[in-house]
């Protein structure tokens, strides 16, 4: 794996670590729903989906 791909994945993991900490998660902890899902759950799963997509893009470029 190229060094820059490794660096992108390390940066992604650091960003995810910061985004899944309690102070950031509690920003979305309020009454309300998005498509019938509470905002806290929607934000957690949206961040998780975003990380999967970014990881896929980085790894796909690695194998090309």
């Amino acid at each position: 794996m190229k060094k820059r791909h490794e660096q992108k994945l390390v940066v992604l993991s650091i960003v995810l670590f910061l985004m899944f900490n309690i102070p950031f998660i509690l920003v979305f902890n309020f009454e309300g729903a998005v498509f019938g899902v509470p905002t806290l759950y929607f934000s957690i799963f949206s961040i998780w989906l975003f990380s999967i997509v970014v990881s896929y893009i980085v790894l796909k470029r690695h194998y090309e």
Side-chain angles (χ1 to χ4, degrees):
M1 184 177 290
K2 292 183 181 176
K3 188 74 167 174
R4 71 171 183 239
H5 295 301
E6 290 178 5
Q7 291 173 348
K8 289 177 186 177
L9 292 175
V10 168
V11 168
L12 177 66
S13 65
I14 291 170
V15 168
L16 288 174
F17 176 75
L18 294 174
M19 291 180 80
F20 281 122
N21 274 322
I22 293 297
F24 186 78
I25 292 295
L26 290 180
V27 169
F28 297 105
N29 192 16
F30 57 87
E31 299 269 335
V34 179
F35 303 116
V37 179
T39 54
L40 179 64
Y41 297 142
F42 183 78
S43 65
I44 289 172
F45 287 115
S46 297
I47 293 168
W48 185 38
L49 179 65
F50 175 75
S51 70
I52 292 170
V53 169
V54 170
S55 298
Y56 173 76
I57 291 170
V58 169
L59 292 174
K60 185 177 177 187
R61 288 185 183 171
H62 165 67
Y63 290 113
E64 287 182 349

